Amino acid sequence: MPIDIDIAHVARLARIHLSEDELAEHGRHCADILEHAAKVQALDTEGIQPTSHPLPLVNAFRDDVVSPARVLARDVILDQAPAVEDVYFRVPPALEDE
Amino acid sequence: MSDRQTIRGAAAALRDGSATSVGLTRAALKTASMTESQVHAYLTLDTEGALEAAERADSQLAAGDDRGPLHGIPIALKDNMVTEGIETTCSSRILSGYVPPYSATVVDRLEEGGAVITGKTNLDEFAMGSSTEHSAFGPTRNPWDTERVPGGSSGGSAVTVAIGSALGALGSDTGGSVRQPAALTGVVGMKPTYGLVSRYGLIPFASSLDQIGPFTRTVADAVDVLATIAGHDPHDATSIPGALPDLGAGLGRGLEGVKVGVVSEMQRDETEPAVRANVAGIIEQMEASGAKVQEVSLPSFEYALSAYYLIAPAEASANLARFDGVRYGNRVNGANVAEMMSKTRADGFGAEVIRRILLGTYALSAGHFDAFYGQALKVRSLVRRDLDAAYEQVDVLVGPTSPTTAFELGAKTADPLTMYLTDVFTIPANLSGHPAISVPVGLDDSGLPIGFQVMAPALGEEVMYRVAGEVERLAGFTARASLASSEVVAP
């Protein structure tokens, strides 16, 4: 079953800027892979519950205390950022977005 | 194998005074300096830090402060585990130059256990690949034949152990990324039960599949590495609570009465004849040694690969959303936020990572979710159900680790689907969360190593190691890669 993908739309959703050539190549590869992956649709899964996680663990609680060894200073965090201003991450204007 | 190129051999030598950690570490670093230009296993060698840790280990051991089996042993880390103060890149341009402010739990546990961390090893970018060719910093090559790949994604870690530029290494296994490179480089590689080893500080690829595991020369060494890094971690909500089982309790207990299932769906025609013949030969020997061997059919196996290539990219597309040029990593500027993010991600990610993000985004997007991702999760249940049913009848399942031995560089890069098919035998254990190990058992006609896989039920590490140890003994595999160094024998 051939898969028809609007690859430009998918790339926009994923926030990845691609050239026309790159879009065409990724579109082709993704269609091939999805066609193979679509084999899962051939299986009868009526009444089968999905498994999103291999462990039956639920509600993994820990004590509500701060572990000082795991706390990072604000400056350490800000030092990782490509651009900061005062104590904030700095980004280009957001309101012109699309 | 009791020589100093194994962890147990080296540990004994450290304690009887015939070796020092500084000596072992210098030997590993020297091996690296002689082989790196040919194999490119390391992205970062921490020579200074390693020698300091080795000196510390020597004085601790001399003072009777014995931290356990890895004390003073040189260990390499895949570069997707964060290390405080040491650059961590995931082999991606987007993280080039990133120096983490904290260390992964496995790193802390290695350090508490006195291990000497030699450096960070090469991988397929963000662990997405089966050949270590998809690294932004160039491929790793197989020390058995440098025109061939070492497998992946943990190819760098596998190679350090294969040639002796570390005595053990950690990798991560999402769809076979420890076991497959172990098979292709002739070493032992193991994926623990999901949740046995903390993922805190492992940069995620597919969170419900990722698990850190050891590369070693021997099965017994794999027990020692796993025992050091495993155990509950309150910082990982998927970490299994409670005390650790005695992982090595079955070593040396033989195969008498052990029920071994041979998976019919892993006897595929596409599998290389030498791989099939070697695996079949080991199974015959197991039977002669007292194992009760029976054929087991797992009908959902042939759908596992398809389900995996929906689930893993879906999780990856969500996990990699964090790389947006805002809080860490590199940035390409743009006129507005959307353009900055889109250009940053296009520039920072390689083609394979982009492909998987696109696949995952598609599988999770409106209109396709149920047919692709939702259905894949149900198939995952079927794989798990088939395996659970099989383990009602047998103690372990066996088969090849990989359908092929090491392939040539570039052989599968043009067609992603061909590359994905190399993981067909390793993926089921990731979908089910079960433990599995690859043990080297022989060579093909070109002198390339063949891996034998032993899979066990959840938290079945004890029986898995027991059987793997017997497979190792029966195979008597002692060949070394042509580039492997004899340097580590020197104290």
Side-chain angles (χ1 to χ4, degrees):
Chain A
M1 180 188 64
I3 309 278
D4 184 29
I5 310 171
D6 181 353
I7 195 74
H9 173 66
V10 175
R12 256 193 317 278
L13 289 176
R15 290 268 191 274
I16 300 176
H17 177 84
L18 297 174
S19 69
E20 289 301 320
D21 285 353
E22 289 167 328
L23 283 172
E25 189 178 352
H26 280 301
R28 212 161 44 241
H29 282 147
C30 285
D32 282 353
I33 297 159
L34 285 167
E35 193 175 330
H36 187 273
K39 267 176 75 177
V40 297
Q41 291 161 3
L43 270 184
D44 179 10
T45 54
E46 184 72 32
I48 300 293
Q49 291 299 309
T51 297
S52 57
H53 221 272
L55 287 185
L57 288 180
V58 284
N59 296 342
F61 293 116
R62 64 167 173 81
D63 293 337
D64 187 17
V65 287
V66 175
S67 160
R70 302 285 171 172
V71 176
L72 298 172
R74 185 173 62 198
D75 288 351
V76 172
I77 302 288
L78 289 171
D79 275 351
Q80 305 285 346
V84 294
E85 186 170 314
D86 193 10
V87 296
Y88 305 105
F89 299 119
R90 187 186 165 94
V91 293
L95 291 178
E96 297 167 20
D97 187 6
E98 303 190 356
Chain B
M1 235 182 296
S2 62
D3 64 53
R4 287 171 200 158
Q5 299 189 39
T6 68
I7 291 173
R8 288 207 171 175
L14 286 173
R15 283 161 185 80
D16 70 19
S18 61
T20 63
S21 177
V22 168
L24 293 170
T25 303
R26 281 193 197 286
L29 294 171
K30 186 175 175 193
T31 300
S33 73
M34 294 189 306
T35 53
E36 272 304 295
S37 63
Q38 293 165 84
V39 294
H40 191 228
Y42 280 102
L43 293 177
T44 304
L45 259 178
D46 185 18
T47 305
E48 201 176 310
L51 287 170
E52 274 172 28
E55 280 169 22
R56 200 160 50 241
D58 282 333
S59 19
Q60 286 164 339
L61 283 165
D65 173 14
D66 192 325
R67 307 286 182 91
L70 300 192
H71 202 165
I73 304 291
I75 303 280
L77 297 173
K78 186 178 185 180
D79 202 29
N80 60 352
M81 299 166 207
V82 296
T83 40
E84 184 178 351
I86 302 174
E87 184 180 4
T88 301
T89 66
C90 275
S91 289
S92 182
R93 267 201 309 279
I94 211 160
L95 278 178
S96 171
Y98 173 69
V99 179
Y102 72 103
S103 286
T105 296
V106 289
V107 177
D108 287 345
R109 293 205 173 159
L110 286 175
E111 286 177 346
E112 285 157 18
V116 172
I117 291 167
T118 51
K120 308 297 290 292
T121 63
N122 200 13
L123 61 146
D124 285 297
E125 184 177 2
F126 285 102
M128 297 177 192
S130 310
S131 67
T132 320
E133 290 169 287
H134 299 300
S135 164
F137 310 116
T140 294
R141 288 165 181 270
N142 195 316
W144 293 80
D145 175 353
T146 53
E147 294 307 310
R148 292 174 187 269
V149 304
S153 64
S154 315
S157 283
V159 169
T160 63
V161 175
I163 61 178
S165 56
L167 291 184
L170 297 188
S172 62
D173 190 313
T174 305
S177 281
V178 169
R179 289 162 286 156
Q180 184 256 17
L184 271 48
T185 58
V187 299
V188 173
M190 188 257 171
K191 182 197 88 75
T193 299
Y194 183 85
L196 198 60
V197 176
S198 170
R199 292 182 297 108
Y200 182 77
L202 171 69
I203 298 175
F205 160 16
S207 307
S208 81
L209 303 162
D210 296 341
Q211 190 63 193
I212 293 170
F215 287 97
T216 52
R217 293 279 311 289
T218 69
V219 173
D221 284 359
V223 172
D224 288 347
V225 178
L226 183 60
T228 304
I229 62 172
H232 183 246
D233 177 12
H235 301 290
D236 174 359
T238 61
S239 166
I240 299 172
L244 268 186
D246 184 354
L247 300 166
L251 286 180
R253 283 181 48 207
L255 288 171
E256 196 59 51
V258 175
K259 286 175 279 182
V260 174
V262 179
V263 183
S264 321
E265 287 74 12
M266 289 169 76
Q267 321 296 312
R268 297 158 65 103
D269 295 339
E270 308 92 285
T271 300
E272 286 177 359
V275 174
R276 297 182 63 171
N278 264 269
V279 168
I282 293 291
I283 293 168
E284 275 174 29
Q285 290 186 67
M286 292 171 82
E287 194 158 23
S289 303
K292 292 188 168 60
V293 176
Q294 66 181 88
E295 185 121 336
V296 172
S297 175
L298 303 164
S300 64
F301 251 48
E302 65 171 301
Y303 301 94
L305 184 79
S306 298
Y308 175 86
Y309 275 100
L310 293 168
I311 294 168
E315 293 189 21
S317 72
N319 274 327
L320 270 62
R322 73 191 66 196
F323 299 101
D324 57 6
V326 176
R327 289 155 301 158
Y328 39 68
N330 298 314
R331 172 190 287 190
V332 176
N333 283 319
N336 55 52
V337 165
E339 191 183 300
M340 179 277 283
M341 290 179 177
S342 299
K343 287 185 167 174
T344 292
R345 288 161 65 78
D347 181 70
F349 293 140
E352 182 59 28
V353 172
I354 289 175
R355 181 151 47 240
R356 301 221 194 172
I357 292 174
L358 295 174
L359 275 171
T361 303
Y362 176 85
L364 290 174
S365 62
H368 308 296
F369 184 96
D370 289 338
F372 286 97
Y373 185 66
Q375 181 70 2
L377 293 183
K378 290 179 182 174
V379 171
R380 186 174 188 177
S381 303
L382 292 177
V383 171
R384 172 88 184 210
R385 197 173 69 179
D386 276 0
L387 282 166
D388 284 342
Y391 290 128
E392 297 280 311
Q393 304 169 53
V394 296
D395 299 311
V396 294
L397 294 168
V398 300
T401 306
S402 164
T404 71
T405 54
F407 44 92
E408 288 179 358
L409 271 90
K412 296 178 195 280
T413 40
D415 178 5
L417 196 52
T418 318
M419 184 76 87
Y420 296 175
L421 286 166
T422 65
D423 295 334
V424 65
F425 297 147
T426 45
I427 278 171
N430 296 91
L431 290 176
S432 68
H434 293 153
I437 189 169
S438 179
V439 179
V441 291
L443 300 174
D444 71 6
D445 294 342
S446 314
L448 298 167
I450 293 166
F452 184 95
Q453 190 176 200
V454 180
M455 303 184 280
L459 294 174
E461 271 80 1
E462 182 186 327
V463 68
M464 181 205 73
Y465 279 131
R466 175 182 176 180
V467 173
E470 293 305 313
V471 168
E472 177 180 57
R473 191 180 59 77
L474 293 169
F477 183 84
T478 53
R480 292 301 302 273
S482 51
L483 277 180
S485 173
S486 53
E487 284 296 320
V488 258
V489 253

